[in-house]
Amino acid sequence: MLTFPRWKYFAILLVLILSTLYALPNAYPLDPSVQVTAARAGGVAIDKALRDRVAAELTKAHITADSVAIESKDNLLVRLPDPNVQTRAADMLRPLLGGDYVVALSLAPTAPKWLDWFGAKPMPRGLDLQGGVHFAMEVDQKAAIDKRMDAFQEDIRATFREKRILYSSVSRTGPATIGITLKEGADNDKAQNELRRMFPTYQVGGEATRLAITVPDAGLRQLATEAIEQNLTTLRNRVNNLGVAEPVIQRQGTDRVVIQLPGLQDTAEAKRQIGATATLEFRAVVGDEAQAAAALADNRVPPDARIYYDQFHRPLLLSKRLLVSGDQLVNAVPGIDAQRGVPNVSITLDSTGGQRMLDHTIDNVGNRLGIVYVERIPETKIVDGKEVHSSRIDERVISSSTIQGVFGKDFQTTGLSREEAQSLAKQLKAGALAAPMSFVEERVVGPSLGAENVKRGTTAVLYSFLFALGFFLLYYRMFGLITCLSLLLNLLMVIAVMSLPFIGATMSLPGFAGLALTVGMSVDANVLINERIREELRAGMPPQAAIATGYDRASGTIFDSNMTALLAGLALLLFGTGPLKGFALTMIIGILTSVFTAVTVSRAMATLVYGGRRKPKSIAI
Amino acid sequence: MKIFPLTLLPNDANINFMRLRWASITLAALLMFGAIGAMAFKGFNYALDFTGGALVEVRTDQPVDIDDIRKDLGKQGYDSAQVQTYGSGNELLVRLQPREGESSTQATTHAKEAVTRALTTAGATNPHILRSEFVGPQIGRELARNGAYALAFVVIGFLFYIAFRFQRKFALAAIIATLHDVVVVAGWFAITGHEFDLTVLAGVLSVMGYSINDTIVVFDRVRENFRGMRASPYEVLNKSVNQTLSRTVITSFVAFLTVLALYIYGGGSLRGMAESQIIGIIVGTLSSIFVACPLLLWFGVTKQDLLPKAQDEAALARRP
């Protein structure tokens, strides 16, 4: 009557073993450590020579490391006794090793190697548990689209010139439209076909001398998405320069990027690096300084040019046509000009940029080339009690030297101070942002607070378990013990599932709350069963039958009540942000595992104790 | 022979809950309107997550006078700075709105500097920043919207699920009872003025899961008894509530204990969440007994509502 299939016992045993295995890595403490990796893939070798050098430097600085070893490929790990020494070691190593290496603070797991063979890893900890910086940045979508629309106009002008389609103007006539006025006698059909070839998914229309291209909503969304994707790449490069062991850079929603930098504390420097919006623009110089001053004086700037200023605020006329922009830059290295001894930046362009530069310099040897340094400085103003984000653009001509010869994708530029050259090279190398971004959220958690949070979280979960277990042992005796064991297995299973790498869960403070709440919610299934058994016993059923009926009858209720609780958890997971997702995930996993432990595992235990041929007269419940 | 050593409630509980239905429903309605009134007129003490602004948490060696800090921050251009103390009075939480014309990039740096300066002026030694935050106003709007979506998702999900597994009247009664709990918990935060942050929102939403769970267990028994008992709906409902009473009390008691542990040991960041759950568990337990079942009776639930056969006959009748 009270029986349980043997294979299910084995299944439970297997679950127990697997859960223990995958939950185990979390039990080992994390070592404060300094991680050294190559700044660029394949740049410098992480080898024994480096290990010895680092070890020697540490000894010289009187820092005793627990170990200095290459623990995985391309990753030198210095394990240190405490966080203070960790910071000191990193600060000491960073300038010594130079820009070819990334020296980052990290927390290294101490779990034994054999656990790694099973892919068992400790759950990554959220910033609230280990300290660090969280940024959310928002892309200025309007500016991103504006920038692309400007580029489209430029492309149209260039193509029309090339195909000899005579036009008198190409200009933006609406938020998503570009209007083109052709000259009398120009071939409208040819122009339309050309535009359709250039923009196959956009609407092209118009007659006689007027043409219009409209970007549909889907196209605008596409442009915005491309901008944020491009920014994501750029941000990854910039964050890599910061030296953080395991940064998280994620797109969130349509216009936001979340950056998490565990272990980092200096937000000012991080923001300067991440939020920098400096880029270079290369434009042909139109006329000389005298002409520029004259144009400014009688307010007659040529239609294809614009007034720019250099650092001494002297005006200069530059072409409106953008020759090469910052996003076509591949590399930039600061150095000293060999002939003149002034600081310079050696620039490498990508192939499109290089080709354009080559085309331009072939025709323009002896003419001047202007390099404009553009920096976008975000500003927040309060207008009528509302916060308004805007940005000021700081444009400065840093060089307007004569083109000495034909060049393509490699060349040098001078005219900057040493610091400027270095900072510019760094920013250029990291890439330009496709669209301006502003910080909309910043959270910094100190490492001591993180450690305290871990302690508080574990204490809270521990006590919530103790309270529940204590009550059950007193109240249900033998079945209380069974309930306690299945609750413990439940906890083990939740931690194990959350530690599985593909779940991608991060432990956070709300995650601890989720664990505690899982206990609170999952006891329900056990209580339902135990109360049902009591009820059947009161109704006069023999013990074994009462147990079996109790389990059977409670199952339906357990299913319904857990399904609805699951719905609530799902809503939180779908609509919650950041740490709330962790809370919801813990709750959902907890609900699912609790059904298994309460219905199957506790029944197995009850059958072990009371099943078999000997019929117990009474049961302790 | 006494086979059960410990019981929280007498095994043969037979309380006439349904007789109290008008009193209990009126009381619940009053509670709900009170809570809605508090939300409408007093509003929430929204945390940084929703309002936007800057926050700095500092620890110093000895307690400082918060009035001095507030005054000094006012002098530095932060007029409406909120200063709270924590722990033994040497942990401070300062909330402030960025000064006019400040970019988001500078907001926290300036806030941190201002707080440190104010603390030094007040004579605190070794001020040490534990945590700092800056949240733009657009984030709060989005959070509020997502919270509303989540609420709608849960309500619609529950309605469909219960209507499918039980019946429409059950779904309606359960949803009203659950919304009652959510409103009362939210109202509690409005009345007490306790800070309403993101974790409290999560707590309130998880209260929905808890409360519906409680109601479903009772309803499940109602369904079972309707099928097995020959009695009036009034008696069936009373019997069902009484039969599940000890389970309801025990589950809620244990859940209460676990959340209490969270409240006591979880520290400041989890206190709001634990508080919302403590209130939610109490109200949710009471509402499943005193609100959901009386509502069910009020909606005129009958045996026929739950008999699948009756529905089949209706379908048969419609056939030519």
Side-chain angles (χ1 to χ4, degrees):
Chain A
M1 194 181 318
L2 187 61
T3 52
F4 199 74
R6 185 162 295 159
W7 68 269
K8 277 197 185 176
Y9 281 117
F10 285 111
I12 290 169
L13 199 66
L14 191 69
V15 168
L16 177 68
I17 293 168
L18 284 178
S19 302
T20 316
L21 193 65
Y22 282 93
L24 200 58
N26 295 294
Y28 292 91
L30 299 173
D31 272 346
S33 57
V34 173
Q35 179 189 306
V36 181
T37 47
R40 275 168 304 281
V44 280
I46 304 289
D47 52 12
K48 201 173 162 298
L50 178 72
R51 196 211 78 92
D52 294 342
R53 188 176 151 210
V54 168
E57 292 293 351
L58 286 169
T59 324
K60 217 196 290 173
H62 302 291
I63 295 172
T64 8
D66 291 345
S67 80
V68 182
I70 297 164
E71 299 205 4
S72 65
K73 204 173 157 285
D74 304 332
N75 184 350
L76 176 75
L77 214 58
V78 183
R79 291 174 186 262
L80 295 148
D82 69 77
N84 290 332
V85 182
Q86 180 195 22
T87 328
R88 240 176 64 215
D91 289 346
M92 194 252 334
L93 287 174
R94 209 166 276 142
L96 274 174
L97 294 176
D100 289 337
Y101 297 93
V102 175
V103 177
L105 301 180
S106 82
L107 289 169
T110 53
K113 268 267 178 291
W114 59 269
L115 278 169
D116 239 23
W117 300 337
F118 299 95
K121 286 195 164 48
M123 221 184 300
R125 288 177 177 185
L127 291 182
D128 52 350
L129 299 186
Q130 58 168 322
V133 186
H134 163 109
F135 290 126
M137 299 181 83
E138 198 168 70
V139 176
D140 185 345
Q141 289 200 341
K142 199 180 150 291
I145 290 167
D146 284 351
K147 200 170 169 183
R148 290 298 294 273
M149 293 294 269
D150 289 348
F152 287 163
Q153 292 174 42
E154 198 45 60
D155 286 350
I156 294 169
R157 287 191 198 108
T159 313
F160 278 17
R161 268 198 302 273
E162 194 183 312
K163 304 276 173 185
R164 304 196 186 286
I165 299 168
L166 300 173
Y167 66 93
S168 56
S169 78
V170 176
S171 62
R172 187 108 172 254
T173 49
T177 41
I178 295 172
I180 300 155
T181 313
L182 298 175
K183 285 206 169 125
E184 284 301 329
D187 190 344
N188 182 300
D189 285 345
K190 187 178 165 195
Q192 283 206 22
N193 287 337
E194 201 53 52
L195 290 174
R196 283 208 186 86
R197 192 188 55 78
M198 287 172 75
F199 307 106
T201 56
Y202 299 166
Q203 292 155 21
V204 178
E207 46 196 35
T209 60
R210 295 204 160 272
L211 285 173
I213 303 161
T214 308
V215 184
D217 285 349
L220 287 177
R221 272 199 300 278
Q222 172 84 21
L223 292 183
T225 313
E226 279 169 16
I228 195 166
E229 286 296 336
Q230 204 179 325
N231 277 3
L232 220 50
T233 320
T234 308
L235 288 174
R236 284 212 178 94
N237 287 334
R238 290 183 177 180
V239 166
N240 281 344
N241 285 341
L242 282 173
V244 174
E246 271 152 14
V248 175
I249 300 140
Q250 268 172 352
R251 188 172 148 192
Q252 190 186 64
T254 48
D255 57 354
R256 233 167 257 167
V257 175
V258 166
I259 300 173
Q260 295 190 334
L261 310 168
L264 198 83
Q265 293 298 319
D266 183 5
T267 51
E269 173 58 20
K271 271 178 162 173
R272 245 197 313 281
Q273 290 272 334
I274 294 170
T277 44
T279 180
L280 287 187
E281 286 179 355
F282 297 85
R283 294 171 186 274
V285 178
V286 183
D288 57 19
E289 276 82 359
Q291 283 175 355
L296 196 65
D298 55 9
N299 204 11
R300 283 175 57 182
V301 179
D304 60 343
R306 235 191 80 190
I307 298 267
Y308 285 83
Y309 295 94
D310 67 6
Q311 71 242 59
F312 306 112
H313 207 77
R314 287 181 307 214
L316 191 64
L317 283 171
L318 295 187
S319 165
K320 272 188 182 168
R321 180 159 180 248
L322 180 60
L323 204 58
V324 172
S325 68
D327 41 356
Q328 286 163 321
L329 273 153
V330 175
N331 201 4
V333 184
I336 301 288
D337 188 286
Q339 284 155 14
R340 289 187 288 163
V342 291
N344 72 353
V345 180
S346 299
I347 290 168
T348 310
L349 300 177
D350 66 2
S351 58
T352 346
Q355 187 60 47
R356 288 181 82 154
M357 194 54 94
L358 188 67
D359 289 349
H360 181 78
T361 49
I362 285 174
D363 298 341
N364 289 285
V365 174
N367 288 340
R368 286 163 66 188
L369 178 70
I371 303 178
V372 188
Y373 174 86
V374 186
E375 187 169 12
R376 187 181 283 267
I377 300 153
E379 283 179 331
T380 311
K381 285 196 191 102
I382 311 280
V383 180
D384 303 333
K386 275 187 193 155
E387 223 170 302
V388 177
H389 294 280
S390 59
S391 50
R392 176 163 62 84
I393 296 174
D394 185 22
E395 284 173 319
R396 181 156 55 93
V397 180
I398 53 168
S399 144
S400 54
S401 42
T402 311
I403 299 169
Q404 304 291 350
V406 175
F407 57 84
K409 60 194 194 55
D410 292 298
F411 58 97
Q412 295 179 346
T413 177
T414 54
L416 293 150
S417 75
R418 233 175 88 88
E419 290 75 34
E420 274 181 320
Q422 257 165 12
S423 140
L424 181 68
K426 217 180 216 176
Q427 288 176 21
L428 290 176
K429 200 157 55 185
L433 289 173
M437 300 187 95
S438 55
F439 288 90
V440 290
E441 198 180 18
E442 176 193 326
R443 292 172 198 269
V444 187
V445 178
S448 59
L449 187 67
E452 269 170 46
N453 282 343
V454 175
K455 221 173 90 204
R456 283 179 188 151
T458 31
T459 317
V461 173
L462 189 77
Y463 275 99
S464 63
F465 256 90
L466 282 182
F467 286 179
L469 298 189
F471 175 82
F472 279 116
L473 276 179
L474 276 178
Y475 199 80
Y476 290 121
R477 297 185 294 170
M478 181 48 99
F479 272 80
L481 184 67
I482 292 174
T483 304
C484 289
L485 289 176
S486 55
L487 275 183
L488 284 175
L489 177 62
N490 190 15
L491 177 71
L492 204 63
M493 278 178 78
V494 175
I495 295 176
V497 171
M498 290 196 39
S499 303
L500 291 177
F502 64 86
I503 296 281
T506 305
M507 198 57 200
S508 61
L509 204 51
F512 278 115
L515 275 183
L517 199 68
T518 302
V519 187
M521 302 263 264
S522 66
V523 294
D524 184 49
N526 294 93
V527 174
L528 275 171
I529 293 165
N530 294 350
E531 285 298 304
R532 199 75 201 217
I533 296 175
R534 279 188 172 188
E535 227 178 281
E536 303 301 335
L537 283 173
R538 271 200 297 274
M541 233 185 233
Q544 282 194 337
I547 294 173
T549 322
Y551 273 101
D552 288 340
R553 290 226 172 138
S555 304
T557 320
I558 291 170
F559 179 77
D560 275 330
S561 67
N562 281 294
M563 271 303 283
T564 43
L566 209 57
L567 272 176
L570 210 60
L572 260 179
L573 188 66
L574 284 176
F575 299 106
T577 47
L580 289 200
K581 278 197 194 298
F583 170 72
L585 194 66
T586 320
M587 225 169 81
I588 290 174
I589 296 171
I591 290 169
L592 292 176
T593 51
S594 81
V595 173
F596 170 73
T597 53
V599 176
T600 312
V601 178
S602 82
R603 187 173 190 161
M605 285 190 273
T607 314
L608 264 185
V609 178
Y610 291 113
R613 238 166 293 163
R614 62 187 171 84
K615 297 212 168 21
K617 288 227 167 50
S618 70
I619 53 178
I621 186 167
Chain B
M1 182 187 75
K2 194 170 181 273
I3 51 167
F4 311 118
L6 244 180
T7 43
L8 280 183
L9 286 166
N11 297 325
D12 46 358
N14 192 13
I15 306 163
N16 194 343
F17 288 107
M18 291 305 121
R19 210 184 57 182
L20 304 168
R21 66 184 185 277
W22 297 119
S24 60
I25 288 187
T26 316
L27 194 68
L30 282 178
L31 260 180
M32 215 163 129
F33 288 127
I36 292 173
M39 284 188 263
F41 293 111
K42 195 155 178 284
F44 293 110
N45 172 18
Y46 284 116
L48 197 72
D49 297 332
F50 294 97
T51 58
L55 172 152
V56 182
E57 198 177 324
V58 218
R59 187 177 289 163
T60 62
D61 285 350
Q62 72 281 106
V64 283
D65 184 26
I66 53 173
D67 281 333
D68 289 351
I69 306 283
R70 205 172 288 139
K71 256 182 234 146
D72 195 81
L73 284 172
K75 270 188 222 147
Q76 295 190 51
Y78 294 104
D79 294 330
S80 54
Q82 292 181 28
V83 187
Q84 279 171 281
T85 50
Y86 262 92
S88 51
N90 59 347
E91 270 173 49
L92 264 87
L93 196 68
V94 183
R95 276 203 274 165
L96 24 85
Q97 288 299 325
R99 286 180 288 213
E100 228 163 279
E102 236 173 23
S103 78
S104 55
T105 327
Q106 305 160 324
T108 35
T109 320
H110 288 176
K112 276 190 236 174
E113 283 166 10
V115 171
T116 317
R117 208 175 300 136
L119 278 167
T120 322
T121 318
T125 46
N126 194 17
H128 168 70
I129 291 173
L130 291 174
R131 169 168 83 105
S132 71
E133 291 183 5
F134 163 80
V135 179
Q138 59 271 67
I139 300 271
R141 241 171 286 135
E142 210 172 272
L143 281 181
R145 203 181 53 215
N146 279 340
Y149 284 156
L151 194 73
F153 178 90
V154 175
V155 168
I156 295 169
F158 282 174
L159 272 175
F160 272 99
Y161 183 78
I162 303 169
F164 169 71
R165 286 283 295 176
F166 292 80
Q167 197 258 342
R168 271 206 325 274
K169 288 171 188 167
F170 285 79
L172 211 58
I175 272 298
I176 294 175
T178 303
L179 283 178
H180 162 265
D181 302 341
V182 170
V183 168
V184 171
V185 174
W188 166 266
F189 277 86
I191 290 170
T192 56
H194 290 178
E195 200 174 48
F196 194 95
D197 64 8
L198 203 55
T199 60
V200 174
L201 182 71
V204 170
L205 284 170
S206 63
V207 161
M208 289 191 87
Y210 185 85
S211 151
I212 203 91
N213 176 55
D214 237 16
T215 307
I216 290 289
V217 171
V218 181
F219 279 9
D220 197 72
R221 190 55 76 96
V222 171
R223 179 172 59 180
E224 189 183 322
N225 283 341
F226 259 126
R227 286 177 182 156
M229 269 171 72
R230 290 186 164 274
S232 68
Y234 185 93
E235 284 167 55
V236 168
L237 282 165
N238 245 340
K239 180 91 182 150
S240 310
V241 176
N242 276 303
Q243 278 175 334
T244 48
L245 195 60
S246 67
R247 170 265 155 201
T248 308
V249 173
I250 291 166
T251 304
S252 299
F253 181 66
V254 177
F256 178 84
L257 284 182
T258 57
V259 186
L260 191 69
L262 204 59
Y263 186 82
I264 300 173
Y265 304 105
S269 328
L270 290 181
R271 193 148 292 161
M273 186 187 232
E275 186 180 324
S276 66
Q277 281 163 351
I278 288 178
I279 314 282
I281 285 171
I282 297 171
V283 183
T285 309
L286 294 177
S287 82
S288 67
I289 298 171
F290 290 104
V291 181
C293 286
L295 278 178
L296 210 49
L297 193 64
W298 197 29
F299 293 153
V301 72
T302 57
K303 195 178 179 121
Q304 277 70 36
D305 286 336
L306 286 162
L307 289 181
K309 225 168 68 186
Q311 286 164 8
D312 288 347
E313 274 168 6
L316 273 177
R318 259 183 272 122
R319 283 189 192 164

